[in-house]
């Protein structure tokens, strides 16, 4: 009877006030920031093996920088060390830090961490979050927020999460703004409208979409990186 009375553990929201850092120095490089964000999530009971999750995020970082331009980085990891789908957020002190070689300073960083059996969930969440970060008013709201509670409200609204969805994040909730789970938004955030994209970038984005639908994470992220490179080359040509 005692066992029957045992309550199931509460489902944690996708982003909680305990996984938010505002204007605190978290280190001098992307590795230090990632470790700090993983530590916040672990302290909140979302990660049971911080070292494994950190390693997974840093392996992804070593393959391609997760800096997406405009002062934003979205490191991500899928690992058995994650117990519940999680977002952690850091607004870095004024001036930010260099996330990847040759990138402009990063001032906003989101960590996405999902369990190993989450399928395409983190790619869908990555897509939706990156799409939101293309919007100037969303980034401005994050930079102007005064409390973690305000950050939670801003992010949940941008991701289209109501109270129930925020408590039980799913693949559909992460992608509901568009419905397509378009991981190519991470590449598109480096540029403006689609009309400004080169054909190479458009082709890479279509490849990323197809890979996402097929569940091929590596091919998807490789295509996203190709699109990023093309977009940056286009932007450099325009500014020269």
């Amino acid at each position: 009877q005692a066992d029957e009375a045992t309550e199931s553990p509460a489902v944690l929201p996708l982003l909680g006030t305990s996984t938010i850092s505002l204007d605190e120095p978290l280190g001098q490089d992307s590795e230090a920031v990632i470790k700090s964000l993983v530590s916040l999530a672990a302290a909140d009971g979302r990660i049971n093996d911080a070292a494994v999750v950190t390693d997974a995020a840093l392996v992804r970082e070593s393959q391609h920088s997760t800096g997406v331009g405009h002062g934003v980085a979205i490191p991500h990891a899928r690992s058995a060390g994650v117990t519940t789908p999680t977002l952690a957020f850091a607004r870095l002190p004024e001036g930010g830090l260099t996330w990847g070689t040759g990138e402009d300073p990063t001032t906003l960083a989101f960590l996405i961490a999902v369990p190993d059996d989450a399928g395409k969930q983190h790619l869908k969440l990555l897509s939706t979050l990156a799409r939101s970060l293309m919007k100037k008013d969303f980034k401005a709201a994050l930079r102007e927020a005064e409390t973690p509670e305000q950050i939670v409200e801003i992010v949940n609204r941008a991701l289209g999460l109501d109270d129930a969805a925020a408590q039980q994040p799913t693949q559909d909730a992460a992608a509901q703004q568009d419905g397509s789970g378009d991981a190519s938004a991470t590449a598109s955030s480096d540029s403006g409208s689609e009309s400004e994209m080169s054909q190479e970038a458009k082709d890479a984005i279509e490849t990323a979409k197809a890979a996402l639908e097929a569940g091929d994470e590596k091919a998807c992220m490789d295509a996203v990186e190709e699109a990023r490179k093309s977009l940056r080359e286009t932007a450099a040509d325009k500014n020269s």
Side-chain angles (χ1 to χ4, degrees):
Q1 290 182 346
D3 290 339
E4 293 177 359
T6 301
E7 296 182 359
S8 299
V11 177
L12 293 169
L14 184 62
L15 176 67
T17 57
S18 298
T19 58
I20 294 171
S21 172
L22 296 180
D23 308 317
E24 296 291 334
L26 301 182
Q28 300 300 315
D29 55 25
S30 57
E31 180 175 347
V33 173
I34 289 170
K35 287 180 177 179
S36 295
L37 290 174
V38 170
S39 293
L40 286 177
D44 200 40
R46 299 161 176 270
I47 287 173
N48 58 25
D49 194 329
V52 168
V53 177
T54 298
D55 286 347
L58 293 178
V59 166
R60 169 58 63 194
E61 205 69 40
S62 69
Q63 295 169 344
H64 300 303
S65 168
T66 56
V68 297
H70 308 287
V72 176
I74 315 178
H76 46 283
R78 186 175 66 186
S79 169
V82 180
T83 57
T84 188
T86 291
L87 274 180
F89 170 73
R91 185 175 68 200
L92 302 175
E94 186 174 356
L97 55 81
T98 300
W99 196 266
T101 303
E103 296 178 0
D104 291 334
T106 289
T107 56
L108 303 175
F110 280 95
L111 170 73
I112 299 174
V114 298
D116 205 28
D117 59 358
K120 296 183 290 184
Q121 181 174 3
H122 76 305
L123 292 180
K124 291 176 179 290
L125 182 56
L126 172 63
S127 165
T128 310
L129 184 59
R131 189 181 299 110
S132 297
L133 286 163
M134 293 171 65
K135 301 174 182 177
K136 292 182 179 179
D137 58 347
F138 178 58
K139 293 194 291 287
L142 292 174
R143 291 185 171 114
E144 294 168 3
E146 297 181 355
T147 66
E149 288 79 9
Q150 290 175 349
I151 294 290
V152 171
E153 181 179 352
I154 292 164
V155 172
N156 284 346
R157 185 168 61 245
L159 295 181
L161 298 174
D162 57 19
D163 290 342
Q167 290 293 331
Q168 295 181 315
T170 65
Q171 294 184 30
D172 291 339
Q176 74 178 54
Q177 274 192 336
D178 170 295
S180 65
D182 178 9
S184 63
T186 60
S188 300
S189 63
D190 282 335
S191 185
S193 66
E194 185 175 343
S195 63
E196 297 174 339
M197 295 183 191
S198 67
Q199 187 58 49
E200 289 81 2
K202 292 179 181 179
D203 290 345
I205 287 172
E206 290 304 314
T207 300
K209 289 180 181 179
L212 174 61
E213 291 303 316
D216 189 336
E217 177 183 346
K218 184 178 186 304
C220 177
M221 297 310 296
D222 286 347
V224 166
E225 180 60 21
E226 286 303 314
R228 282 178 181 160
K229 289 179 180 177
S230 181
L231 290 169
R232 287 168 179 161
E233 289 171 359
T234 300
D237 290 342
K238 288 179 63 178
N239 293 332
S240 61

